[in-house]
Amino acid sequence: FLGPTLGVTSNVTTVTFPAATADWGLIVAFGIFDAASSSNLLIWANLDVSKYVYTGDVPKFVAGDIVITLE
């Protein structure tokens, strides 16, 4: 993530998840945690467009897809 500028930050590289080994179902939101396990949810938001993830799909957010504004 790029450092905040006037309270706005975004991902500067693509965030890619592992290929789904089973259907994940309908994804409607995302969260950012402070560690990979035993972690704390720092921020979350609903997706602008929900996405159904099927077996074999490789979900990703391309650079600039995640924009966080802190007020």
Side-chain angles (χ1 to χ4, degrees), residues 23-30 46-47 49-53 59 61:
D23 289 352
W24 290 1
L26 184 64
I27 307 302
V28 299
F30 75 96
N46 290 319
L47 297 175
V49 177
S50 299
K51 165 105 173 112
Y52 199 95
V53 177
F61 294 97

Side-chain angles (χ1 to χ4, degrees), residues 11-24:
N11 61 313
V12 294
T13 60
T14 298
V15 178
T16 304
F17 294 86
T21 57
D23 289 352
W24 290 1

